[in-house]
């Protein structure tokens, strides 16, 4: 596995290459469907993404740049880390967690089953989305475990102030999204009222799909963090009134905890749990006579 660093002076580049070596070492021992061809810290993140993807329209959002991105190529994966990770706002403990999160996502592509179906039906739809959420939960928990092990056993230290601040800032950001009733719950209820007039399912889904994705991942990341770091569990009281945290959501979270603790990649028994979770967002997918159909579920 090749490591390319395009930033810094020669000493800084060597230090970054040495730090990223943990991915190369781990990759030697991991079972992966496709290997990591190269790890890159580019000078220009967006330009490198476009180059490797063969695109010209990828643009990071200023202030919300991705910390990493994996790009599949016939030779294997290219794993990019943003140069901002190597500024004063981050330390190696924060980066260790990010490295392992992205590495786990790539490993999971070979660990999780591939669903083969001739058409997209209800089961396939919920199955694939269930794995997308568990993928992030699993990667987050493993990244925290890996970082803790490095800090304790290699650095023989405690979690740094920078790492703690980064952890809590991220958690508080996700909790704020979960608590944002107007942005999610009220928006979906409004779109349901609009749907009653226009009756256009595609239009309804187009208006709410981004919200569903944002809130789902915020819930997953928040609870992965609180599940691992018990001292942060007290933050859960801040979202005690969040409308999307009903019993269906808590059942999904408990299901993910169980699967993670079991180390099981088999989520075939979780399709109904995923269906109930998405009903919180006002949608339910059903098999039609010719194709997958979506029903609008009234929010309480």
């Amino acid at each position: 596995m090749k490591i390319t660093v395009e930033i810094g002076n020669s000493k800084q580049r060597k230090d970054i290459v040495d730090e990223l070596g943990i991915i190369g070492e781990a990759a030697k021992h991991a079972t992966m469907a496709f290997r990591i061809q190269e790890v890159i810290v580019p000078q220009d993140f967006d330009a490198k993404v476009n180059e490797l993807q063969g695109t010209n329209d990828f643009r990071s959002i200023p202030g919300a740049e991705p910390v990493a991105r994996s790009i599949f190529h016939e030779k294997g994966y290219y794993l990019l880390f943003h140069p901002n990770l190597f500024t004063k706002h981050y330390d190696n403990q924060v980066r260790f967690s990010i490295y392992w999160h992205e590495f786990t996502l790539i490993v999971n592509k070979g660990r999780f089953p591939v669903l083969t179906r001739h058409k997209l039906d209800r089961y396939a739809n919920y199955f694939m989305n269930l794995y997308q959420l568990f993928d992030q939960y699993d990667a987050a928990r493993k990244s925290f475990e890996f970082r803790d092990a490095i800090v304790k056993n290699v650095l023989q230290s405690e979690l740094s102030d920078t790492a703690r601040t980064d952890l809590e800032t991220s958690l508080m950001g996700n909790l704020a999204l979960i608590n944002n009733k107007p942005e999610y719950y009220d928006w979906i209820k409004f779109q349901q009222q609009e749907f009653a007039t226009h009756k256009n399912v595609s239009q309804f889904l187009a208006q709410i799909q981004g919200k569903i994705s944002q809130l789902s991942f915020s819930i997953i990341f928040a609870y992965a963090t609180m599940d691992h770091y018990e001292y942060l569990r007290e933050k859960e009281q801040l979202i005690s009134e969040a409308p999307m945290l009903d019993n269906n959501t808590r059942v999904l979270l408990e299901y993910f905890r169980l699967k993670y603790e079991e180390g099981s990649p088999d989520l075939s028994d979780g399709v109904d749990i995923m269906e109930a979770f998405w009903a919180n967002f006002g949608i339910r997918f059903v098999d039609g006579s010719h194709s997958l159909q979506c029903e609008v579920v009234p929010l309480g």
Side-chain angles (χ1 to χ4, degrees), residues 31-280:
T31 300
M32 305 169 71
F34 299 96
R35 310 302 296 182
I36 298 174
Q37 175 73 11
E38 187 174 1
V39 176
I40 307 172
V41 180
Q43 183 76 42
D44 186 326
F45 188 83
D46 291 3
K48 184 61 70 173
V49 169
N50 280 314
E51 175 191 331
L52 294 175
Q53 288 184 164
T55 58
N56 57 18
D57 58 355
F58 176 81
R59 297 288 184 277
S60 296
I61 300 173
E65 297 91 349
V67 294
R69 189 178 182 93
S70 63
I71 299 171
F72 182 72
H73 186 275
E74 60 183 8
K75 295 180 180 179
Y77 280 97
Y78 288 94
L79 183 52
L80 277 62
F81 291 104
H82 201 287
N84 284 355
L85 285 176
F86 303 91
T87 62
K88 63 181 181 180
H89 303 294
Y90 300 85
D91 67 3
N92 60 351
Q93 291 190 18
V94 176
R95 291 193 295 271
F96 287 145
S97 181
I98 293 170
Y99 297 158
W100 206 255
H101 187 106
E102 296 304 317
F103 177 72
T104 301
L105 292 177
I106 291 176
V107 170
N108 281 349
K109 293 181 188 302
R111 176 172 167 251
F112 291 167
V114 176
L115 183 65
T116 56
R117 258 172 159 65
H118 297 298
K119 66 175 183 177
L120 181 63
D121 57 11
R122 168 193 170 272
Y123 184 92
N125 184 55
Y126 285 123
F127 186 84
M128 290 186 297
N129 282 282
L130 181 67
Y131 269 100
Q132 286 181 354
L133 292 182
F134 183 68
D135 194 16
Q136 293 294 337
Y137 180 88
D138 181 72
R141 292 287 303 271
K142 285 179 177 170
S143 73
F144 298 147
E145 285 191 0
F146 173 79
R147 193 246 306 275
D148 287 354
I150 290 287
V151 169
K152 180 180 178 181
N153 300 326
V154 179
L155 302 180
Q156 296 183 339
S157 180
E158 300 292 331
L159 205 59
S160 68
D161 290 341
T162 300
R164 285 181 179 274
T165 298
D166 177 78
L167 194 65
E168 295 189 29
T169 299
S170 177
L171 175 60
M172 294 302 292
N174 285 315
L175 296 181
L177 283 173
I178 296 169
N179 241 358
N180 195 333
K181 182 175 178 286
E183 182 76 11
Y184 298 99
Y185 184 82
D186 292 347
W187 173 255
I188 293 173
K189 288 203 75 170
F190 171 73
Q191 292 303 325
Q192 289 190 343
Q193 293 167 2
E194 293 291 292
F195 174 77
T197 301
H198 61 66
K199 301 293 185 182
N200 187 320
V201 173
S202 296
Q203 181 178 330
F204 173 70
L205 289 175
Q207 293 295 330
I208 69 170
Q209 280 179 327
K211 304 292 186 183
I212 293 174
S213 178
Q214 289 171 350
L215 187 54
S216 295
F217 283 115
S218 287
I219 290 171
I220 292 306
F221 288 134
Y223 276 89
T225 302
M226 292 187 293
D227 287 346
H228 182 79
Y229 292 102
E230 282 297 322
Y231 78 93
L232 292 173
R233 175 61 67 175
E234 64 181 26
K235 302 293 186 183
E236 188 178 18
Q237 64 183 324
L238 299 175
I239 51 174
S240 60
E241 302 299 322
M244 298 302 190
L245 285 179
D246 69 350
N247 188 59
N248 291 336
T249 299
R250 296 188 183 282
V251 168
L252 177 73
L253 292 166
E254 186 58 35
Y255 177 76
F256 280 175
R257 291 185 194 104
L258 176 64
K259 291 296 181 178
Y260 181 79
E261 290 165 5
E262 290 178 345
S264 173
D266 181 8
L267 307 184
S268 58
D269 57 351
V271 168
D272 290 344
I273 294 174
M274 185 67 189
E275 180 180 51
F277 173 65
W278 266 12
N280 291 349

